[in-house]
Coordinates of all heavy atoms in Angstrom, one line a residue:
A330 N -34.5 -223.9 76.9 CA -33.2 -224.6 76.7 C -32.3 -223.6 75.9 O -31.2 -223.5 76.1 CB -33.4 -225.9 76.0
N331 N -33.0 -222.8 75.0 CA -32.2 -222.0 74.1 C -31.6 -220.8 75.0 O -30.5 -220.4 74.7 CB -33.1 -221.4 73.1 CG -33.2 -222.2 71.8 OD1 -32.5 -223.2 71.7 ND2 -34.2 -221.9 71.0
I332 N -32.4 -220.4 75.9 CA -31.8 -219.2 76.7 C -31.2 -219.6 78.0 O -30.7 -218.7 78.8 CB -33.0 -218.2 77.1 CG1 -34.0 -218.9 78.1 CG2 -33.7 -217.8 75.8 CD1 -35.0 -217.8 78.6
K333 N -31.1 -220.9 78.2 CA -30.6 -221.4 79.6 C -29.1 -220.9 79.8 O -28.9 -220.3 81.0 CB -30.6 -222.9 79.7 CG -30.0 -223.5 81.0 CD -30.1 -224.9 80.9 CE -29.4 -225.6 82.1 NZ -29.6 -227.1 82.2
P334 N -28.2 -220.9 78.9 CA -26.8 -220.4 79.2 C -26.9 -218.9 79.5 O -26.2 -218.4 80.5 CB -26.0 -220.6 77.9 CG -26.8 -221.8 77.2 CD -28.2 -221.5 77.6
T335 N -27.7 -218.1 78.8 CA -27.8 -216.7 79.0 C -28.4 -216.5 80.5 O -28.0 -215.6 81.2 CB -28.6 -216.0 78.0 OG1 -28.0 -216.1 76.7 CG2 -28.9 -214.5 78.4
A336 N -29.4 -217.2 80.7 CA -30.1 -217.1 82.1 C -29.1 -217.3 83.2 O -29.1 -216.5 84.2 CB -31.3 -218.0 82.1
L337 N -28.4 -218.5 83.1 CA -27.5 -218.8 84.3 C -26.4 -217.7 84.3 O -26.0 -217.4 85.4 CB -26.9 -220.2 83.9 CG -28.0 -221.3 84.1 CD1 -27.3 -222.7 83.7 CD2 -28.6 -221.3 85.5
S338 N -25.9 -217.3 83.2 CA -24.9 -216.2 83.2 C -25.4 -214.9 83.9 O -24.7 -214.3 84.7 CB -24.5 -215.9 81.8 OG -23.5 -214.9 81.8
Q339 N -26.6 -214.6 83.6 CA -27.2 -213.4 84.2 C -27.4 -213.6 85.7 O -27.2 -212.7 86.5 CB -28.5 -213.1 83.5 CG -28.4 -212.5 82.1 CD -27.7 -211.2 82.0 OE1 -26.5 -211.1 81.6 NE2 -28.2 -210.1 82.6
L340 N -27.8 -214.8 86.0 CA -28.0 -215.0 87.4 C -26.8 -215.0 88.3 O -26.7 -214.5 89.3 CB -28.7 -216.4 87.7 CG -30.2 -216.5 87.2 CD1 -30.7 -217.9 87.3 CD2 -31.0 -215.6 88.2
E341 N -25.7 -215.5 87.7 CA -24.4 -215.5 88.3 C -23.9 -214.1 88.5 O -23.4 -213.7 89.4 CB -23.4 -216.2 87.4 CG -23.6 -217.8 87.4 CD -22.6 -218.5 86.5 OE1 -21.9 -217.9 85.8 OE2 -22.7 -219.7 86.5
K342 N -24.2 -213.3 87.5 CA -23.7 -211.8 87.6 C -24.5 -211.1 88.8 O -24.0 -210.4 89.5 CB -23.9 -211.1 86.4 CG -22.9 -211.5 85.2 CD -23.3 -210.8 83.9 CE -22.3 -211.1 82.8 NZ -22.7 -210.6 81.5
T343 N -25.9 -211.5 88.8 CA -26.8 -210.8 89.8 C -26.3 -211.1 91.1 O -26.4 -210.4 92.1 CB -28.2 -211.3 89.5 OG1 -28.6 -210.8 88.2 CG2 -29.1 -210.6 90.5
Y344 N -26.0 -212.4 91.4 CA -25.7 -212.9 92.8 C -24.2 -213.0 93.1 O -23.9 -213.7 94.1 CB -26.4 -214.3 93.0 CG -28.0 -214.0 93.0 CD1 -28.7 -214.4 91.9 CD2 -28.5 -213.7 94.1 CE1 -30.1 -214.2 91.9 CE2 -29.9 -213.5 94.2 CZ -30.7 -213.7 93.1 OH -32.0 -213.6 93.1
K345 N -23.3 -212.5 92.2 CA -21.9 -212.5 92.5 C -21.6 -211.9 93.7 O -22.0 -210.7 94.0 CB -21.2 -212.0 91.3 CG -19.7 -212.1 91.4 CD -19.1 -211.5 90.1 CE -17.5 -211.7 90.2 NZ -16.8 -211.1 89.0
G346 N -20.8 -212.5 94.6 CA -20.3 -211.9 95.8 C -21.4 -212.1 97.0 O -21.0 -211.7 98.1
R347 N -22.5 -212.6 96.7 CA -23.5 -212.8 97.8 C -23.3 -214.0 98.5 O -22.9 -215.1 97.7 CB -24.9 -212.6 97.3 CG -25.2 -211.3 96.6 CD -26.6 -211.2 96.4 NE -27.0 -210.0 95.6 CZ -28.2 -209.6 95.1 NH1 -29.2 -210.3 95.6 NH2 -28.4 -208.5 94.3
D348 N -23.6 -214.2 99.7 CA -23.5 -215.4 100.4 C -24.4 -216.6 99.8 O -25.6 -216.3 99.6 CB -23.8 -215.3 101.9 CG -22.8 -214.4 102.6 OD1 -21.7 -214.3 102.1 OD2 -23.1 -213.9 103.7
G349 N -23.9 -217.7 99.5 CA -24.6 -218.7 99.0 C -24.8 -218.7 97.6 O -25.3 -219.7 96.9
G350 N -24.4 -217.6 96.9 CA -24.5 -217.5 95.3 C -26.0 -217.5 94.9 O -26.9 -216.9 95.6
I351 N -26.3 -218.1 93.8 CA -27.6 -218.1 93.2 C -28.6 -218.9 94.2 O -28.3 -220.0 94.5 CB -27.6 -218.8 91.9 CG1 -26.7 -218.1 90.9 CG2 -29.1 -218.7 91.2 CD1 -26.5 -218.8 89.5
P352 N -29.7 -218.4 94.5 CA -30.6 -219.1 95.5 C -31.1 -220.3 94.8 O -31.3 -220.4 93.6 CB -31.8 -218.1 95.6 CG -31.2 -216.7 95.4 CD -30.1 -216.9 94.3
E353 N -31.3 -221.4 95.6 CA -31.7 -222.6 95.0 C -33.0 -222.5 94.3 O -33.2 -223.2 93.3 CB -31.8 -223.7 96.2 CG -32.2 -225.0 95.7 CD -32.3 -226.0 96.8 OE1 -32.1 -225.6 98.0 OE2 -32.7 -227.2 96.6
A354 N -33.9 -221.7 94.8 CA -35.3 -221.6 94.1 C -35.1 -221.0 92.8 O -36.0 -221.4 91.9 CB -36.1 -220.7 95.1
E355 N -34.1 -220.2 92.5 CA -34.0 -219.7 91.2 C -33.2 -220.6 90.2 O -33.3 -220.6 89.1 CB -33.4 -218.3 91.3 CG -34.2 -217.3 91.8 CD -33.7 -215.9 91.5 OE1 -33.4 -215.6 90.3 OE2 -33.7 -215.1 92.4
E356 N -32.3 -221.4 90.7 CA -31.4 -222.3 90.0 C -32.0 -223.6 89.7 O -31.8 -224.2 88.7 CB -30.1 -222.4 90.8 CG -29.0 -223.1 89.9 CD -27.7 -223.1 90.6 OE1 -27.6 -223.1 91.8 OE2 -26.6 -223.1 89.8
R357 N -32.9 -224.2 90.7 CA -33.4 -225.5 90.5 C -34.1 -225.7 89.3 O -34.0 -226.6 88.6 CB -34.1 -225.9 91.7 CG -34.6 -227.4 91.7 CD -35.6 -227.8 92.7 NE -35.2 -227.2 94.0 CZ -35.9 -226.4 94.8 NH1 -37.0 -225.8 94.3 NH2 -35.6 -226.0 96.0
P358 N -35.0 -224.7 88.9 CA -35.8 -225.0 87.6 C -35.0 -225.2 86.4 O -35.3 -226.0 85.5 CB -36.7 -223.7 87.5 CG -36.8 -223.2 89.0 CD -35.5 -223.5 89.5
W359 N -33.9 -224.4 86.4 CA -33.0 -224.6 85.2 C -32.2 -226.0 85.3 O -32.0 -226.6 84.2 CB -32.0 -223.5 85.2 CG -32.6 -222.1 85.0 CD1 -32.9 -221.2 85.9 CD2 -33.2 -221.6 83.7 NE1 -33.5 -220.1 85.4 CE2 -33.7 -220.3 84.1 CE3 -33.1 -222.0 82.5 CZ2 -34.3 -219.5 83.1 CZ3 -33.7 -221.3 81.5 CH2 -34.3 -220.1 81.8
D360 N -31.9 -226.3 86.5 CA -31.2 -227.6 86.6 C -32.1 -228.9 86.3 O -31.6 -229.9 85.7 CB -30.6 -227.8 88.1 CG -29.5 -226.9 88.4 OD1 -28.9 -226.4 87.5 OD2 -29.3 -226.6 89.6
E361 N -33.4 -228.6 86.5 CA -34.3 -229.8 86.3 C -35.0 -229.7 85.0 O -35.8 -230.5 84.6 CB -35.4 -229.8 87.4 CG -34.8 -230.1 88.9 CD -35.8 -229.9 89.9 OE1 -37.0 -229.4 89.6 OE2 -35.5 -230.3 91.0
L362 N -34.7 -228.7 84.2 CA -35.4 -228.4 82.9 C -35.2 -229.6 81.9 O -36.2 -230.0 81.3 CB -34.8 -227.1 82.2 CG -35.4 -226.9 80.9 CD1 -36.8 -226.6 80.9 CD2 -34.6 -225.6 80.2
S363 N -34.0 -230.1 81.7 CA -33.8 -231.2 80.8 C -34.6 -232.4 81.1 O -35.3 -233.0 80.2 CB -32.3 -231.5 80.7 OG -31.6 -230.4 80.2
R364 N -34.6 -232.9 82.3 CA -35.3 -234.0 82.8 C -36.8 -233.9 82.6 O -37.5 -234.7 82.2 CB -35.0 -234.4 84.2 CG -33.6 -235.0 84.3 CD -33.4 -235.5 85.8 NE -32.0 -236.2 85.9 CZ -31.9 -237.4 85.7 NH1 -32.8 -238.3 85.4 NH2 -30.6 -237.9 85.8
A365 N -37.3 -232.6 83.0 CA -38.7 -232.4 82.8 C -39.1 -232.4 81.3 O -40.1 -232.9 81.0 CB -39.1 -231.0 83.4
L366 N -38.3 -231.8 80.5 CA -38.6 -231.7 79.0 C -38.5 -233.1 78.4 O -39.3 -233.4 77.6 CB -37.7 -230.8 78.4 CG -37.8 -230.5 76.9 CD1 -39.2 -230.0 76.6 CD2 -36.9 -229.4 76.5
L367 N -37.5 -233.9 78.9 CA -37.5 -235.3 78.4 C -38.7 -236.1 78.7 O -39.1 -237.0 78.0 CB -36.2 -235.9 78.8 CG -34.9 -235.6 78.1 CD1 -33.7 -236.3 78.7 CD2 -34.9 -235.8 76.6
Q368 N -39.2 -235.9 79.9 CA -40.4 -236.7 80.3 C -41.5 -236.3 79.4 O -42.3 -237.3 79.0 CB -40.8 -236.2 81.8 CG -42.0 -237.1 82.4 CD -42.2 -236.8 83.8 OE1 -41.4 -236.1 84.4 NE2 -43.3 -237.2 84.3
I369 N -41.6 -235.1 79.1 CA -42.8 -234.8 78.1 C -42.5 -235.3 76.7 O -43.4 -235.9 76.1 CB -43.0 -233.2 78.0 CG1 -43.2 -232.5 79.3 CG2 -44.0 -232.8 77.0 CD1 -43.0 -231.1 79.4
I370 N -41.3 -235.2 76.3 CA -40.9 -235.6 75.0 C -41.0 -237.2 74.8 O -41.5 -237.7 73.8 CB -39.4 -235.3 74.6 CG1 -39.3 -233.8 74.4 CG2 -38.9 -236.0 73.4 CD1 -37.9 -233.3 74.3
S371 N -40.7 -237.9 75.9 CA -40.8 -239.3 75.8 C -42.2 -239.8 75.7 O -42.6 -240.8 75.0 CB -40.1 -240.0 77.1 OG -40.9 -239.6 78.3
G372 N -43.2 -239.1 76.3 CA -44.5 -239.4 76.0 C -45.1 -239.0 74.7 O -45.9 -239.7 74.1
F373 N -44.7 -237.9 74.2 CA -45.1 -237.3 73.0 C -44.6 -238.1 71.8 O -45.4 -238.3 70.8 CB -44.7 -235.8 72.8 CG -45.3 -235.1 71.6 CD1 -46.6 -234.8 71.6 CD2 -44.5 -234.9 70.5 CE1 -47.2 -234.2 70.5 CE2 -45.0 -234.3 69.4 CZ -46.4 -233.9 69.4
I374 N -43.5 -238.7 71.9 CA -42.9 -239.3 70.7 C -43.3 -240.8 70.7 O -42.8 -241.6 69.8 CB -41.4 -239.2 70.6 CG1 -40.6 -239.9 71.6 CG2 -41.0 -237.8 70.4 CD1 -39.1 -239.8 71.5
Q375 N -44.2 -241.2 71.5 CA -44.8 -242.5 71.4 C -45.8 -242.5 70.3 O -47.0 -242.7 70.5 CB -45.3 -243.0 72.8 CG -44.3 -243.1 73.9 CD -44.9 -243.7 75.1 OE1 -45.7 -244.6 75.2 NE2 -44.2 -243.3 76.3

Side-chain angles (χ1 to χ4, degrees):
N331 281 344
I332 71 167
K333 181 177 177 179
T335 297
L337 293 177
S338 175
Q339 288 295 108
L340 288 173
E341 287 175 0
K342 290 179 182 178
T343 300
Y344 292 98
K345 185 177 181 180
R347 300 190 191 183
D348 292 341
I351 304 173
E353 183 183 358
E355 292 199 44
E356 189 172 27
R357 188 191 308 116
W359 297 102
D360 290 340
E361 297 176 351
L362 173 62
S363 294
R364 285 183 179 271
L366 188 50
L367 282 179
Q368 185 176 348
I369 302 170
I370 290 172
S371 64
F373 186 74
I374 65 175
Q375 293 187 35

